[in-house]
Amino acid sequence: MGKKTTTVPHELESWQLDDAARLRALFEQKKGAAKAAGERFTQALFAESTGIASPNMVWQYLSAHRALNIQAAAEFAKGLGVQVSEFSPRLAAQID
């Protein structure tokens, strides 16, 4: 029998964890506003309306299982209607 292998995610830097926490807070805020307006706002709908590949990828970024990159940060900013600097000052500086 073959040996099963698992992949272990790379450890994220503390600033990346902070970015993910800020991003998740903004996402939850948008979700709450949508709910109050009687609209749906899910990770699946968000992935569909942005350039993020799948709901699973949205979850990975929001849960700090995957580090944000410039492209993903730009998609989240566009989809949430915020500036990248609101959740990732470091990536915003790289974009500028």
Side-chain angles (χ1 to χ4, degrees):
M1 284 186 142
K3 205 174 168 187
K4 256 189 177 180
T5 59
T6 58
T7 56
V8 178
H10 292 95
E11 291 285 324
L12 299 183
E13 301 286 334
S14 62
W15 68 269
Q16 292 168 315
L17 296 173
D18 292 342
D19 286 358
R22 286 188 291 268
L23 182 60
R24 183 165 193 85
L26 289 168
F27 189 91
E28 292 300 324
Q29 182 180 22
K30 178 89 170 185
K31 185 177 178 179
K35 185 176 181 180
E39 300 169 358
R40 291 185 58 218
F41 185 78
T42 65
Q43 292 176 7
L45 291 172
F46 190 81
E48 200 173 283
S49 68
T50 64
I52 299 174
S54 69
N56 185 47
M57 289 296 291
V58 172
W59 177 84
Q60 287 183 45
Y61 289 123
L62 294 175
S63 302
H65 283 263
R66 179 177 296 269
L68 276 171
N69 56 49
I70 289 173
Q71 181 179 350
E75 292 296 335
F76 271 102
K78 181 177 75 176
L80 294 172
V82 300
Q83 297 295 314
V84 172
S85 60
E86 292 184 50
F87 57 89
S88 182
R90 187 177 226 157
L91 290 177
Q94 289 178 15
I95 291 168
D96 289 341

